[in-house]
Amino acid sequence: MIRFVGAKTLDFVTQLGEISLLLFETVRNTFRRPFPRRNFFEQIVKIGWNSLPVTFFTAISTGAILALQTGYAMMANVKGTEHFVGGVVALSVTRELGPILCAIMIAGRAGSGITAEIGTMKVTEQIDALVTLSANPVHYLIVPRVLAGVIVLPLLTLFTDLVAIFGGMLVAFLEMGLNETQYIETTLRMLTISDINNGLIKSVVFGLLITLIASFEGFRTKGGAEGVGKSTTRSVVMICMSILFFDYVLTSLLTTSF
């Protein structure tokens, strides 16, 4: 038992060190010329634009469910407070649900794709071919993906926030008979710029985690097609766990700082 725990701990520390080194190499190669513009814009489309449908569905469902739950709970327990449902939905979405749900959906959709793509290149020796041609794999493959993730995630989070608030307004208007003017007024009254900024700060970190861990797992893939499948599964699980952990850390830091 002690040997098992020790081995797992050593493996975790080793992976953490390797990811840290990969992050350092990524930052260093970001300023290297020529910058891979074509690959970068391709990743913007893959991670951002192609994720809009699933992000939209997640956001509007989250806003609608949240408004339904909180609205009826307010009506049942504290009479006359149901018109505050707009502010409750806005605060919950911008501070917490928007960034984290958006990140988890992107992790499942784009993160798995990054791992599978780089993992396939690894097992088919295409990455070795890049090295043979004097091309730096980190500069060519990881830098565009990491930069695209860091830029796209805040934009997708803003999109998620707006759609979720709109979904909550539809439910408040159609299901509970609330006035849309009251919904918007309470939203603007209770929501502050710092709430939105805190969510965007989280999304930047989540974008870095998704692309960096996905690329890392792709680079360490071995064992053919089966290995690609295992790396992809491991990547999504590791990303989701990292998102939840850093969400707590960032929430603690941002709550005590502002």
Side-chain angles (χ1 to χ4, degrees), residues 110-175:
S112 60
I114 291 173
T115 303
E117 185 178 4
I118 296 180
T120 302
M121 295 179 67
K122 178 69 174 179
V123 298
T124 56
E125 299 182 350
Q126 294 181 50
I127 294 180
D128 295 333
L130 287 175
V131 176
T132 303
L133 295 172
S134 300
N136 190 321
V138 174
H139 176 70
Y140 183 75
L141 297 176
I142 298 184
V143 169
R145 287 165 172 81
V146 170
L147 288 180
V150 169
I151 293 172
V152 163
L153 256 293
L155 298 177
L156 287 176
T157 299
L158 280 176
F159 176 75
T160 302
D161 294 344
L162 292 173
V163 173
I165 292 172
F166 175 74
M169 185 177 69
L170 287 179
V171 169
F173 176 69
L174 298 175
E175 289 284 337

Side-chain angles (χ1 to χ4, degrees), residues 62-75 78 80-93 164-191:
T62 301
I65 294 170
L66 188 60
L68 200 64
Q69 292 279 13
T70 56
Y72 281 120
M74 288 178 174
M75 292 171 66
V78 186
T81 60
E82 60 270 12
H83 62 277
F84 287 106
V85 65
V88 174
V89 170
L91 289 176
S92 301
V93 168
I165 292 172
F166 175 74
M169 185 177 69
L170 287 179
V171 169
F173 176 69
L174 298 175
E175 289 284 337
M176 292 175 284
L178 298 181
N179 191 317
E180 64 271 17
T181 304
Q182 286 183 324
Y183 185 95
I184 296 173
E185 286 179 353
T186 56
T187 298
L188 296 176
R189 188 190 315 159
M190 297 176 64
L191 188 64

Side-chain angles (χ1 to χ4, degrees), residues 171-217:
V171 169
F173 176 69
L174 298 175
E175 289 284 337
M176 292 175 284
L178 298 181
N179 191 317
E180 64 271 17
T181 304
Q182 286 183 324
Y183 185 95
I184 296 173
E185 286 179 353
T186 56
T187 298
L188 296 176
R189 188 190 315 159
M190 297 176 64
L191 188 64
T192 63
I193 296 297
S194 64
D195 297 321
I196 300 174
N197 289 339
N198 289 351
L200 295 180
I201 291 171
K202 289 182 179 182
S203 65
V204 171
V205 177
F206 295 160
L208 175 64
L209 289 173
I210 291 169
T211 50
L212 188 66
I213 294 175
S215 301
F216 170 75
E217 290 294 339

Side-chain angles (χ1 to χ4, degrees), residues 28-37 139 143 147:
R28 190 167 66 89
N29 280 276
T30 300
F31 304 98
R32 183 179 175 184
R33 295 295 180 267
F35 182 77
R37 291 185 180 86
H139 176 70
V143 169
L147 288 180

